[in-house]
Amino acid sequence: MGNKSHPVEQEFDLQQLIGVLRHRKYQIGMAVLTGAVIGGLYSLVTPKIYRADALLEVKNGQNQILTDLSSLMSAQPSSADSEVDLVKSRAVIGQTVDNLHLDIGIQPKGSIINKLAAKLQGSNTPETIDIQSLVVPTEWENAPMTLSIISDKAYKLTLPDGKVIDGRIGETSKSGNDVQVAISKLIAPAGSEFTVTKYSKLSAIDNISNSLAVASKGRGSPLMELSYTGDDRSKIQRILGEVVNNYLNLNKNRDIQMASNGLTFISNELPRLKQALQDAEDKLNAYRVRSSSIDVPTEARMAVQNLSNIETQITSLKSDEAGMASIYTKDHPDYVALRDRLSVLEKSRDDINRQIAALPTTEQEVIRLTRDVETNQATYVQLLNKQQEMNIVKASSQGNVRVIDNAVSAEKPFKPQKFALILLGALAAGLLACAWYVIR
């Protein structure tokens, strides 16, 4: 009997629940309407968020210094993946912070109700404050201060310790030796207040990084997309443009620095190699005179040629390593690949030397002297060519990145989505009203 009555009880409970909701339909409807109105009002006071974007292309083989390294990389085409972290590095973002004074934050004070009232009354006039400089002690970095507008020419700044600095537009105001402020432009109604914060360098970099997105357009793609979000269209476009410029400069200077380091290595090696070549030629000629001009056997000559080629490659890679050492860490994939290639070449050189060691003593001596001459000669010529290449790179390097689309801000904000907020407010209010009446 209990099992047969259970479905009836469930049907009765469901009918009772529907009856309760039907009985309270007007109240629930009013709740839904109220929720929609609250969602709409919230969308009015929520700052509009815009997005600025730019598109870059990372080109292959721009730097001649790295030409010989192309064989070290994998068969996959080089992409913008490795450049993403460089764009968001402290070197790029930190320079942007310094150039645009982004270590100073300004936020208007006021409650949501006041903002909503100003929005509905149409009295929400644009406000602009340009703080030319703000110097505070280290312990006051990241601490909020209050800027009060007295008139269109005067203001006062309340410091974290409660002291007040009275200032005027275009003048530098000080409090002791540790605090000074200079405001170059002030457009805000008298009586309004703003929260001013002097961020530390690291905090300012983090603030920019949190709003900056960098990604390659697909695996292996040479295209790299940058975007920056914020509530000021012109400001975010200016920030993203500065990030792009600083990254391009860093990319260009990286090639120049690599070329300079490589040239230093070559300049130190050339005099030594020239003298070593001269000494090797003198020793070979002297030995041939004493030994009646013994020639090198064909198989041994092939070994000498292979050894000479290997030595030339080793020297070339070492010049590349000298250029990369100041740019990459030893764990960087490119640096690791170069070291692996050097290890392979050095092992091949040792194998050939062991083969030569198994030959008769007279042939060994001739091969050794001939090898020294050919190796030093090939290496010397190789370094001379490398020196010319690096001088050209240093004088004309433009980096391996070019701008496809400059930084531009979208005309319309992508947040807040008013319809979604209204719908969400109506749905949440309706569900809460239903739950309330059911529980009661």
Side-chain angles (χ1 to χ4, degrees):
M1 293 295 293
N3 292 337
K4 292 181 181 180
S5 63
H6 186 64
V8 176
E9 292 176 359
Q10 284 186 337
E11 182 178 355
F12 175 77
D13 293 339
L14 182 59
Q15 290 179 353
Q16 186 180 26
L17 177 61
I18 294 175
V20 170
L21 296 179
R22 185 183 294 117
H23 179 67
R24 299 290 185 178
K25 59 183 178 181
Y26 295 109
Q27 291 88 336
I28 295 174
M30 286 299 298
V32 170
L33 181 60
T34 303
V37 171
I38 293 175
L41 294 176
Y42 180 75
S43 68
L44 291 177
V45 299
T46 302
K48 296 179 180 179
I49 304 300
Y50 297 88
R51 177 187 287 114
D53 56 51
L55 186 65
L56 307 179
E57 179 187 15
V58 181
K59 296 181 288 186
N60 293 334
Q62 179 69 17
N63 189 347
Q64 294 187 27
I65 297 177
L66 303 180
T67 300
D68 292 336
L69 295 179
S70 58
S71 60
L72 308 182
M73 304 300 114
S74 62
Q76 297 178 350
S78 63
S79 68
D81 293 337
S82 60
E83 298 293 318
V84 170
D85 292 335
L86 183 60
V87 176
K88 300 193 71 173
S89 66
R90 287 194 294 270
V92 174
I93 306 300
Q95 188 63 48
T96 303
V97 169
D98 293 338
N99 293 347
L100 299 181
H101 305 291
L102 299 177
D103 55 348
I104 302 175
I106 306 173
Q107 292 293 332
K109 282 190 172 183
S111 64
I112 295 180
I113 296 177
N114 292 337
K115 293 180 181 179
L116 179 59
K119 194 82 172 181
L120 295 177
Q121 294 173 4
S123 59
N124 193 17
T125 57
E127 300 169 332
T128 302
I129 299 177
D130 290 339
I131 300 180
Q132 187 175 354
S133 67
L134 177 60
V135 179
V136 299
T138 304
E139 59 269 19
W140 285 358
E141 290 181 344
N142 304 319
M145 296 172 282
T146 300
L147 178 67
S148 303
I149 309 303
I150 307 301
S151 67
D152 58 349
K153 296 293 184 181
Y155 63 88
K156 65 178 181 179
L157 181 66
T158 304
L159 304 177
D161 63 354
K163 293 182 179 179
V164 177
I165 296 179
D166 293 318
R168 295 187 63 82
I169 303 303
E171 299 178 359
T172 299
S173 302
K174 298 181 179 181
S175 175
N177 297 324
D178 297 332
V179 181
Q180 67 178 35
V181 58
I183 298 180
S184 58
K185 187 176 182 180
L186 178 57
I187 302 176
S192 56
E193 292 185 338
F194 299 84
T195 299
V196 176
T197 307
K198 173 68 173 183
Y199 296 109
S200 64
K201 184 68 172 291
L202 187 58
S203 295
I205 291 174
D206 289 340
N207 292 339
I208 302 300
S209 298
N210 292 336
S211 299
L212 177 66
V214 185
S216 61
K217 294 181 72 67
R219 184 175 179 83
S221 171
L223 298 180
M224 182 167 54
E225 186 176 31
L226 291 75
S227 64
Y228 191 83
T229 58
D231 57 2
D232 188 328
R233 280 188 61 208
S234 60
K235 183 178 180 180
I236 64 174
Q237 180 174 320
R238 188 168 63 253
I239 291 175
L240 184 59
E242 190 68 23
V243 169
V244 170
N245 290 335
N246 290 331
Y247 167 62
L248 293 176
N249 290 334
L250 181 65
N251 181 267
K252 176 182 176 181
N253 293 334
R254 177 178 57 182
D255 288 351
I256 294 176
Q257 185 177 358
M258 289 181 67
S260 298
N261 293 337
L263 283 171
T264 301
F265 171 81
I266 292 174
S267 298
N268 294 332
E269 285 293 302
L270 281 177
R272 183 189 66 80
L273 281 174
K274 185 177 182 180
Q275 185 61 45
L277 175 59
Q278 184 64 48
D279 294 343
E281 289 177 342
D282 293 343
K283 290 180 181 179
L284 177 60
N285 292 333
Y287 187 82
R288 280 179 171 173
V289 170
R290 293 196 309 269
S291 305
S292 301
S293 301
I294 298 177
D295 293 329
V296 181
T298 303
E299 293 184 1
R301 177 166 290 278
M302 291 294 297
V304 171
Q305 291 178 352
N306 290 336
L307 190 60
S308 176
N309 291 335
I310 290 174
E311 290 285 0
T312 301
Q313 293 180 58
I314 289 176
T315 303
S316 177
L317 288 178
K318 284 185 177 180
S319 69
D320 290 331
E321 182 185 16
M324 297 176 66
S326 61
I327 304 298
Y328 302 122
T329 64
K330 292 184 178 181
D331 296 329
H332 192 279
D334 290 355
Y335 195 90
V336 172
L338 184 144
R339 292 300 310 170
D340 291 343
R341 177 64 172 168
L342 276 175
S343 298
V344 172
L345 291 174
E346 289 170 351
K347 183 177 182 301
S348 299
R349 180 187 61 187
D350 294 340
D351 291 342
I352 295 177
N353 285 331
R354 281 193 292 269
Q355 294 176 9
I356 294 175
L359 297 175
T361 304
T362 304
E363 291 186 5
Q364 283 187 41
E365 186 65 17
V366 176
I367 290 173
R368 185 182 66 80
L369 294 174
T370 304
R371 176 199 63 191
D372 290 344
V373 171
E374 294 187 359
T375 299
N376 288 328
Q377 185 176 30
T379 304
Y380 185 74
V381 173
Q382 174 72 15
L383 285 185
L384 286 176
N385 294 334
K386 199 77 169 177
Q387 187 180 47
Q388 293 178 354
E389 291 179 4
M390 290 185 176
N391 281 324
I392 294 174
V393 169
K394 186 177 179 180
S396 61
S397 176
Q398 296 297 321
N400 67 327
V401 177
R402 73 183 182 101
V403 178
I404 303 298
D405 293 331
N406 288 310
V408 175
S409 296
E411 295 181 353
K412 296 181 179 180
F414 73 97
K415 289 194 305 185
Q417 299 180 3
K418 294 184 178 180
F419 179 76
L421 288 175
I422 293 173
L423 182 61
L424 183 61
L427 181 61
L431 291 176
L432 287 174
C434 292
W436 171 258
Y437 288 119
V438 167
I439 291 174
R440 289 184 61 187

